[in-house]
Amino acid sequence: MNLSQNKSAKKKLTQENLTQVASIAAIATPQYDRENTEIGIVHLGPGAFHRAHQAVYTENAMNLSGGNWGICGVSLRSAIAQEVLQQQDYLYTLAVLDQNTRYQVIGSIKEILVANKQSDDVITRMSAATTKLVTLTITEKGYCLASDGSLDLNHEDIKHDLANPIKPISAIGFIVESLKQRRMNGTSAFNVLSCDNVSGNGDKLRRAVLDYAEQLDDQLKTWISDNVAFPNAMVDSITPKTENYTVESVSKAINAQDNWPIQREDFSQWVIENNWQGERPDWGKVGVIFTDDVEGFEHAKLRLLNCLHSTLAYAGSLAGFETVFDAISDKDFFQFISKLAQNEIIGSFTPPKEMDVKVYADEIIQRFLNPSIRHLLAQIAWDGSQKLQMRLLPIIRDNIQLNRSTKLLCFSLASWFEFICQAVKNNQEIIDPMANHFNEITGVLSNDVTEVVNSFLAIESIFGNDFVKNDIIIKQLTGHLKEIRSTTKNQLSTLIRSL
Ligand code: CS2
């Protein structure tokens, strides 16, 4: 999205112009007294997904039941969201893309702070007694974990924060510093709710927070452990990034200039582990599921939706497709994706008892076929080194354990290898925290597929140390990589058909 192009003669979407927008019958607007609503939630990472998902559930809960659940979004690095949204009183439009597009102006975000410029303000906000809940979408890499699940004490951000705990830059550093302040001030703790596509996200975050606190103060660690809940949660809604056409079409529909609307599909799901006490918005009344078995939901979502997504992203990009819709509309890709789901993913995990997992998988593939959504494969391809650890590698491991086939899963992994190799060869930008590493590993430019596979599998922070010793996996990966390399872009569908 090029924000500088969005100059228009229209009035801006602001609190003042909200009545005018609300007069357009088809546009939903906040129904609660927004100006007198206090901030009760601090959200770390107020990107598109947060604004399309948790902020919307909170908006709907306040529309229904009120409450002081305004959100303070904390951008950890970039100031863009603050710059753009401040000018529109933090209001923005959600465009729900289905057969007909539905629009809702969201008012739940009331403030955005930028952590690397306003760290004191962030800690003040997080320590305030009015803040009851801290939620996060910081992506996989934000958890700063080592491959054994502990906090990576060698991570640059963590090293920085441990040396400067009152001026942190990482989400973990902010959480611990503000809990420390609350404890000192006699303010009760907040609960922490992770909303990332990370399996066991609450448990992983808890571990990271406690490991960090332990480095500073054992008593603080114990206090956090006794007082803070970190429920696990599964989140789902396909949210393609905002494009210039989104800005134009939304501004036209609401007859006011919205410089950063958000688009997403109609389907949305949020399942939260029911293991916490304390106040929260009336989410249960607006569709959030509270359950004891969040793991089954998490597995189903990460292994079906996200794994299939990444497979489409890498294999689909190699075949020259641009969007999820384009790739899944190809009949060979459709069949391959369905086969991968049925033969190798379903059966690798225990789904929740209320879920018919075959129907769930079919519904996901139907969601990919939504013609109103232009979800770029390039967007999904970001951060593969982190994402695949959550959505692909655990399935391969479980299938090995269960003596099940890993052939198609290895095709997906080999597609990622080739995707990275081609990017390095062609000097294209790789959006991944390990991009520098990929540019440096020797095997990446090799014509010998065995060398390529071994160089990737040797990256312990991604693959641990089991894959590199597994001859069957190595054979499948080298075999697929060879096939991919001896196939032209246009023939990749034919190759996929033969799998
Ligand atoms: C996607 C997800 O970008 C990606 O990696 O797989 O963002 C996906 O769209 C969401 O998890 C859907 O809930």
Side-chain angles (χ1 to χ4, degrees):
M1 186 177 59
N2 181 350
L3 295 163
S4 61
Q5 284 182 2
N6 300 317
K7 298 210 172 79
S8 139
K10 276 200 191 77
K11 277 190 189 161
K12 269 210 165 73
L13 169 65
T14 56
Q15 185 71 36
E16 202 186 340
N17 298 332
L18 205 50
T19 332
Q20 172 208 306
V21 173
S23 69
I24 309 173
I27 315 291
T29 54
Q31 299 300 300
Y32 52 95
D33 179 1
R34 180 171 188 252
E35 276 158 299
N36 291 311
T37 296
E38 277 183 44
I39 289 175
I41 300 177
V42 172
H43 183 84
L44 307 180
F49 186 72
H50 167 68
R51 289 165 57 200
H53 189 271
Q54 304 100 59
V56 177
Y57 281 100
T58 302
E59 175 81 0
N60 294 343
M62 289 197 288
N63 278 337
L64 200 69
S65 318
N68 283 313
W69 294 111
I71 299 170
C72 163
V74 176
S75 302
L76 289 167
R77 293 202 162 79
S78 160
I80 300 180
Q82 184 189 55
E83 278 161 22
V84 177
L85 292 179
Q86 202 168 37
Q87 291 177 31
Q88 39 193 73
D89 299 324
Y90 302 104
L91 293 163
Y92 62 93
T93 315
L94 171 76
V96 176
L97 310 174
D98 210 23
Q99 271 165 353
N100 299 311
T101 308
R102 183 163 59 74
Y103 301 95
Q104 178 176 7
V105 175
I106 307 297
S108 53
I109 297 185
K110 294 210 62 186
E111 168 181 75
I112 292 190
L113 299 174
V114 183
N116 60 5
K117 290 200 299 195
Q118 300 173 282
S119 63
D120 292 347
D121 296 337
V122 173
I123 290 169
T124 305
R125 177 58 80 195
M126 291 176 78
S127 314
T130 39
T131 298
K132 307 279 197 260
L133 199 52
V134 169
T135 56
L136 304 89
T137 44
I138 51 173
T139 77
E140 297 82 351
K141 56 184 176 283
Y143 291 72
C144 306
L145 295 173
S147 58
D148 66 353
S150 63
L151 181 69
D152 181 0
L153 296 174
N154 290 319
H155 191 291
E156 287 307 320
D157 293 358
I158 298 299
K159 281 204 291 201
H160 170 279
D161 288 2
L162 286 171
N164 311 274
I166 60 169
K167 291 249 174 251
I169 52 173
S170 75
I172 315 288
F174 277 104
I175 291 173
V176 174
E177 181 57 23
S178 51
L179 285 168
K180 183 174 115 201
Q181 299 286 334
R182 293 178 85 101
R183 178 169 173 251
M184 272 174 7
N185 300 340
T187 309
S188 58
F190 46 62
N191 287 316
V192 181
L193 179 56
S194 164
C195 306
D196 279 300
N197 282 321
V198 168
S199 53
N201 48 17
D203 296 339
K204 291 204 167 94
L205 187 57
R206 180 171 196 275
R207 171 82 195 264
V209 165
L210 293 180
D211 284 358
Y212 181 93
E214 187 178 10
Q215 297 295 312
L216 297 176
D217 170 355
D218 265 340
Q219 288 183 349
L220 176 62
K221 178 186 173 191
T222 309
W223 186 80
I224 296 176
S225 166
D226 292 346
N227 291 285
V228 183
F230 293 84
N232 290 305
M234 180 274 251
V235 290
D236 190 8
S237 190
I238 290 174
T239 307
K241 75 180 171 56
T242 303
E243 302 283 354
N244 287 334
Y245 64 76
T246 329
V247 174
E248 277 155 30
S249 60
V250 167
S251 300
K252 188 160 169 234
I254 68 165
N255 195 24
Q257 183 64 28
D258 181 344
N259 279 340
W260 207 335
I262 299 292
Q263 50 176 347
R264 68 147 223 235
E265 65 174 337
D266 191 27
F267 181 92
S268 177
Q269 198 173 35
W270 194 3
V271 184
I272 305 178
E273 194 180 9
N274 202 6
N275 72 343
W276 54 305
Q277 313 250 319
E279 292 172 65
R280 57 191 182 213
D282 209 354
W283 287 331
K285 292 232 176 75
V286 292
V288 178
I289 300 169
F290 287 92
T291 172
D292 293 334
D293 173 23
V294 79
E295 193 181 83
F297 283 97
E298 262 178 21
H299 278 158
K301 196 270 172 159
L302 275 164
R303 293 182 178 212
L304 284 160
L305 192 147
N306 295 114
C307 177
L308 298 179
H309 246 178
S310 290
T311 304
L312 284 169
Y314 301 123
S317 298
L318 296 178
F321 294 115
E322 208 189 339
T323 67
V324 171
F325 177 78
D326 295 345
I328 197 76
S329 300
D330 175 281
K331 74 175 184 331
D332 296 317
F333 265 81
F334 177 90
Q335 261 165 22
F336 167 68
I337 287 293
S338 307
K339 198 165 154 192
L340 172 60
Q342 298 302 332
N343 294 5
E344 296 192 5
I345 302 181
I346 294 177
S348 73
F349 63 97
T350 312
K353 48 185 176 323
E354 55 270 62
M355 181 184 280
D356 180 332
V357 75
K358 288 209 163 69
V359 173
Y360 180 74
D362 286 347
E363 282 169 356
I364 285 171
I365 296 173
Q366 286 309 313
R367 286 163 64 194
F368 294 168
L369 280 162
N370 182 342
S372 316
I373 297 210
R374 257 183 68 74
H375 197 183
L376 297 179
L377 297 176
Q379 181 189 344
I380 300 167
W382 291 354
D383 287 359
S385 69
Q386 312 297 301
K387 290 178 175 175
L388 297 184
Q389 292 182 59
M390 304 292 161
R391 51 179 75 175
L392 174 63
L393 307 187
I395 319 180
I396 299 184
R397 286 200 175 92
D398 285 345
N399 280 8
I400 295 172
Q401 196 76 33
L402 296 164
N403 228 346
R404 287 161 44 92
S405 164
T406 52
K407 183 174 152 209
L408 306 179
L409 293 161
C410 282
F411 184 83
S412 173
L413 186 54
S415 303
W416 178 61
F417 292 170
E418 181 59 7
F419 177 86
I420 297 291
C421 291
Q422 287 193 9
V424 174
K425 272 180 211 151
N426 300 330
N427 227 348
Q428 282 158 350
E429 187 191 10
I430 301 174
I431 303 183
D432 193 297
M434 296 198 67
N436 289 342
H437 186 83
F438 298 142
N439 281 305
E440 280 158 18
I441 52 176
T442 42
V444 95
L445 290 175
S446 171
N447 289 327
D448 175 352
V449 287
T450 311
E451 194 185 346
V452 177
V453 167
N454 283 326
S455 315
F456 274 100
L457 295 185
I459 310 175
E460 203 179 334
S461 62
I462 305 177
F463 293 99
N465 49 25
D466 50 343
F467 280 65
V468 76
K469 294 186 217 138
N470 188 318
D471 291 341
I472 299 177
I473 295 297
I474 294 178
K475 195 160 164 234
Q476 286 179 342
L477 289 168
T478 45
H480 287 315
L481 194 56
K482 202 163 170 193
E483 288 161 357
I484 293 172
R485 288 193 168 182
S486 49
T487 307
T488 61
K489 214 183 202 180
N490 298 337
Q491 284 168 347
L492 207 90
S493 293
T494 320
L495 166 62
I496 272 177
R497 194 185 315 151
S498 69
L499 291 172

